[in-house]
Amino acid sequence: MSTRFPFTAVVGQQDLQLALLLNAVAPNIGGVLVRGEKGTAKSTAVRALAALLPEVEVVAGCRFSCDPASPDPTCPDGPHTGAAAEARDARMVELPVGASEDRLVGALDIERALAEGVKAFEPGLLAAANRGILYVDEVNLLHDHLVDVLLDAAAMGASYVEREGVSVRHAARFLLVGTMNPEEGELRPQLLDRFGLTVEVAASREPDQRVEVVRRRLAYDDDPAAFAARWADEESAVRRRIVAARELLPKVRLGDGALKQIAATCAAFEVDGMRADIVMARTATALAAWDGRGDVLAEDVRQAALLALPHRRRRNPFDAPGLDEDKLDRTLEESAGDDDDPDPDGPGGGGQPSPEEGPQDGDAGARAGTGEDAEDGEPQPAAGGAGEQAPARAAEPFRTKALTVPGVGAGAAGRRSRARTERGRTTGALRPRGTLTKLHLAATVRAAAPHQRARGRSGPGLVLRRDDLRQAAREGREGNLVLFVVDASGSMAARQRMSAVKGAVLSLLLDAYQRRDKVGLVTFRGTAAEVALPPTSSVDAAAARLESLPTGGRTPLAAGLLKAHDVLRVERLRDPSRRALLVVVTDGRATGGPEPVALAGRAAGLLGAESVASVVVDCESGPVRLGLAGRLAEELRGTAVTLEELRADAIAGLVRDVRGTTSRRAA
């Protein structure tokens, strides 16, 4: 077994280390979600934590790691009366992003059941992680239904399996840790809330600290065993402190004053439900135990709020994470003062409010990353030439209905277009490729029935062969690549008009987030087009680029369409199963260069000939309208819709138009 990097040797990630240690002391906090850019020791710290956990006593031979002092009476491997015990290290189990639900929760061993007539349960990763750590790297890329199952088990401390004639319940108590890079997409707010604590990590900008990180990493790579030995004393001290905190935890007193501060803080920050209050109470209690105290202080409540509340304040992906620490201190001070509070002086030792804390309202979230106020800042440089205007602020986003890609695909699971998936309604059966995951029982029986006499069947049961097994074919929904091509030329430069255009694109981005799409952004103005954002799962990055988009100059429509064609061509090679939806936002005008209108028509025809599902959002305004956007939609073999028609129920007809246009083209 390779030597892990020591937990105590990680540099500059104190919040991450504290959150992990608090969950090691009190796993009922609900786990940790670690958000941060790549290369910030997220995975290193999580894997190092496993070596610090005390050994666990388990029933010898039990696949579910039952505690011999109080074995699970419903354990599938039980009963364990009088069973021998053995000690082993706490396990860290990793859940791969591509794992199936059967791999996670376990299932009936189908081949043994059909071929041998044995009703055997094959445990999943939840069973292996019981009384240890379950680690999910890139948890934001895990399918939502797996995240739901995972978090339900973590909350209940048990896994329930009801499928294919199997009814099993087993203990599943583990420290849940998820890591993610927000640039690759966000978790839904409902799933964010299910994680107990969250930590934002970033690489240090201090040269001395970065030097120390490199020095330690190089020393570890040269001789892992020797490097670990240098930190053995610190590791042992932390291990002993975890044991002591666990023993003290049941004795820690959470007074009415601290409870009042917790409730007031959650109310002041308008978090939904009561889960935040409960998590804060457990975290504050664990903080007191970690510090060796028998009472919860106001500083514990403050630290608990900083770990438990930031991710619960996000209502959509455009809201900036974080907590207003000035507001937090005021709330704690105003709610302090009960005689029962062991710290009547209010918050202390919790650190000073950060002067760099960003704005906290919803509009600020949409502007994250622009580096300026959209109304008052200086225009950003861009290839626009003369006439460039400062970026206009996006109008308030509105609710839309889905634009779907016609036909049935086979892309990544999502919520937009029809697709063949592992989940959904059963539509047929096929021969399995590789391991059988979803048995189609009726088709399996039909395949085996004609061969029973030739196989010498003499009893009541079927004689089955591996070739008889049939996989259930299921239909669900997939996520698509939604590529926005936005006209940022002078013809779109009126501030009120561009504000409405940005609001419409922002609304479609929010819809793409909810439907688990990838998004990309191409803009054109002046003399050229550019890829403002390569296809990504991070719709908040797209929103930030959109918000800072300046306008002005000529209208190179053909360049924008050809750039979109290049992006789609590359994405088809990179991810051939993910189908695309092209959304062109323009008034249809084309200027600059020789024969700009004809050139734009040929570029549109190129995309139309490749059957790219497309929608043109017509931004033309004024009493006299030329209908150029509608003509562009015809050349793309797509459909056109005005900004007004994008709103809510009006878009339902557009979905039918997209499908109908494609069906007529196919015919």
Side-chain angles (χ1 to χ4, degrees):
M1 180 177 177
S2 60
T3 303
R4 291 194 177 106
F5 192 92
F7 185 83
T8 51
V10 175
V11 178
Q13 300 295 0
Q14 288 82 6
D15 287 345
L16 169 58
Q17 290 172 303
L18 178 61
L20 292 171
L21 290 169
L22 291 177
N23 273 270
V25 172
N28 62 356
I29 287 174
V32 186
L33 176 64
V34 187
R35 298 163 43 90
E37 59 197 25
K38 53 187 176 294
T40 50
K42 300 188 298 293
S43 300
T44 298
V46 175
R47 294 187 173 99
L49 177 67
L52 295 179
L53 297 182
E55 286 188 338
V56 293
E57 291 280 334
V58 299
V59 173
C62 178
R63 296 174 297 169
F64 303 88
S65 303
C66 279
D67 185 350
S70 56
D72 183 359
T74 63
C75 176
D77 284 356
H80 295 307
T81 305
E86 63 182 11
R88 63 163 174 78
D89 293 336
R91 292 175 180 160
M92 191 189 78
V93 176
E94 295 195 40
L95 174 61
V97 169
S100 66
E101 186 174 349
D102 288 346
R103 182 75 183 102
L104 178 62
V105 301
L108 175 71
D109 189 329
I110 295 174
E111 294 189 15
R112 288 189 63 193
L114 291 178
E116 303 175 23
V118 177
K119 190 174 181 180
F121 176 68
E122 184 177 354
L125 296 176
L126 291 179
N130 187 33
R131 305 178 67 199
I133 299 174
L134 183 59
Y135 173 47
V136 189
D137 194 14
E138 307 293 356
V139 66
N140 51 324
L141 304 183
L142 195 66
H143 194 275
D144 286 350
H145 81 274
L146 290 182
V147 179
D148 284 328
V149 170
L150 183 64
L151 295 174
D152 282 342
M156 295 186 296
S159 175
Y160 295 84
V161 184
E162 301 281 348
R163 56 176 58 193
E164 288 99 17
V166 171
S167 179
V168 171
R169 177 225 176 259
H170 65 81
R173 296 181 178 86
F174 47 81
L175 193 169
L176 174 63
V177 184
T179 57
M180 59 175 281
N181 183 350
E183 294 178 356
E184 297 172 345
E186 287 284 355
L187 279 171
R188 289 185 291 128
Q190 298 92 327
L191 297 179
L192 281 172
D193 180 60
R194 302 291 292 278
F195 279 93
L197 308 180
T198 187
V199 179
E200 296 278 343
V201 297
S204 173
R205 300 299 184 257
E206 293 293 330
D208 290 344
Q209 197 169 76
R210 295 175 74 96
V211 166
E212 186 60 24
V213 170
V214 175
R215 181 181 290 121
R216 293 186 186 184
R217 184 69 210 191
L218 292 177
Y220 171 78
D221 290 341
D222 288 342
D223 192 340
F227 183 80
R230 286 169 46 194
W231 294 89
D233 291 343
E234 288 85 349
E235 296 282 287
S236 297
V238 172
R239 191 178 297 109
R240 291 192 298 270
R241 192 173 175 184
I242 292 174
V243 173
R246 285 182 175 182
E247 294 175 351
L248 178 60
L249 185 66
K251 305 171 187 176
V252 174
R253 175 177 172 271
L254 180 64
D256 289 343
L259 280 173
K260 181 181 177 182
Q261 287 185 313
I262 290 170
T265 301
C266 292
F269 286 99
E270 299 179 348
V271 296
D272 295 332
M274 295 298 299
R275 185 175 285 119
D277 304 62
I278 296 170
V279 170
M280 273 190 65
R282 290 171 175 168
T283 305
T285 304
L287 278 162
W290 178 249
D291 286 341
R293 290 183 274 104
D295 290 307
V296 173
L297 306 181
E299 65 190 65
D300 298 324
V301 176
R302 185 183 194 280
Q303 184 64 56
L306 293 174
L307 292 172
L309 295 188
H311 61 301
R312 293 187 164 88
R313 296 189 61 253
R314 304 195 79 186
R315 297 295 187 269
N316 64 57
F318 312 135
D319 290 340
L323 214 60
D324 185 338
E325 295 191 37
D326 288 332
K327 181 178 179 179
L328 173 60
D329 287 334
R330 288 195 303 271
T331 302
L332 292 173
E333 185 176 351
E334 291 167 2
S335 58
D338 279 5
D339 293 336
D340 196 281
D341 194 327
D343 183 27
D345 294 328
Q352 296 298 317
S354 170
E356 299 175 0
E357 187 71 31
Q360 299 300 315
D361 56 47
D363 286 341
R367 298 195 300 274
T370 65
E372 61 171 334
D373 181 272
E375 288 289 349
D376 303 325
E378 292 297 320
Q380 295 294 312
E388 181 179 288
Q389 298 189 17
R393 178 176 295 175
E396 189 70 21
F398 50 84
R399 183 175 59 87
T400 69
K401 291 187 178 178
L403 298 169
T404 62
V405 177
V408 181
R415 297 198 180 99
R416 184 172 295 277
S417 305
R418 294 172 56 201
R420 293 179 293 275
T421 62
E422 285 294 315
R423 293 177 61 83
R425 62 188 182 91
T426 300
T427 59
L430 45 83
R431 290 181 180 272
R433 296 178 179 177
T435 303
L436 179 69
T437 56
K438 299 290 182 182
L439 176 71
H440 195 299
L441 183 58
T444 298
V445 171
R446 284 197 300 269
H451 309 292
Q452 296 306 295
R453 180 175 296 178
R455 294 174 182 174
R457 170 183 164 183
S458 58
L462 283 174
V463 179
L464 292 174
R465 300 287 185 267
R466 185 179 295 273
D467 288 344
D468 299 330
L469 301 179
R470 295 294 182 268
Q471 176 86 18
R474 299 190 174 188
E475 183 177 301
R477 292 278 168 177
E478 68 177 359
N480 298 117
L481 167 60
V482 182
L483 181 62
F484 293 92
V485 181
V486 180
D487 184 348
S489 66
S491 66
M492 302 279 287
R495 294 189 70 78
Q496 185 175 2
R497 185 178 176 196
M498 197 61 195
S499 176
V501 169
K502 287 186 176 182
V505 178
L506 200 63
S507 303
L508 292 170
L509 281 172
L510 182 57
D511 180 70
Y513 162 75
Q514 294 167 339
R515 299 184 187 280
R516 310 298 285 175
D517 294 318
K518 289 180 70 174
V519 297
L521 179 62
V522 172
T523 64
F524 58 93
R525 54 190 289 267
T527 60
E530 65 172 344
V531 181
L533 183 73
T536 175
S537 297
S538 179
V539 296
D540 51 344
R545 301 290 175 87
L546 177 72
E547 190 71 20
S548 62
L549 179 67
T551 57
R554 296 181 180 275
T555 312
L557 176 57
L561 296 174
L562 290 174
K563 183 68 72 174
H565 180 269
D566 289 343
V567 171
L568 294 177
R569 177 180 56 81
V570 172
E571 285 301 306
R572 276 195 295 270
L573 295 173
R574 182 176 296 157
D575 189 358
S577 64
R578 187 181 291 269
R579 298 184 295 162
L581 174 65
L582 182 68
V583 180
V584 184
V585 185
T586 181
D587 57 10
R589 292 190 173 105
T591 60
E595 300 183 343
V597 176
L599 190 60
R602 289 196 293 272
L606 179 64
L607 287 161
E610 295 182 355
S611 300
V612 176
S614 59
V615 176
V616 177
V617 180
D618 185 357
C619 302
E620 192 174 26
S621 61
V624 179
R625 303 199 177 195
L626 303 178
L628 297 174
R631 193 179 310 164
L632 176 64
E634 292 177 359
E635 290 166 334
L636 286 168
R637 302 185 190 180
T639 189
V641 58
T642 65
L643 285 173
E644 293 77 16
E645 291 171 331
L646 278 176
R647 294 184 174 273
D649 296 337
I651 209 170
L654 173 63
V655 177
R656 291 193 294 271
D657 288 344
V658 173
R659 290 173 174 166
T661 300
T662 307
S663 298
R664 290 193 299 273
R665 187 165 70 237

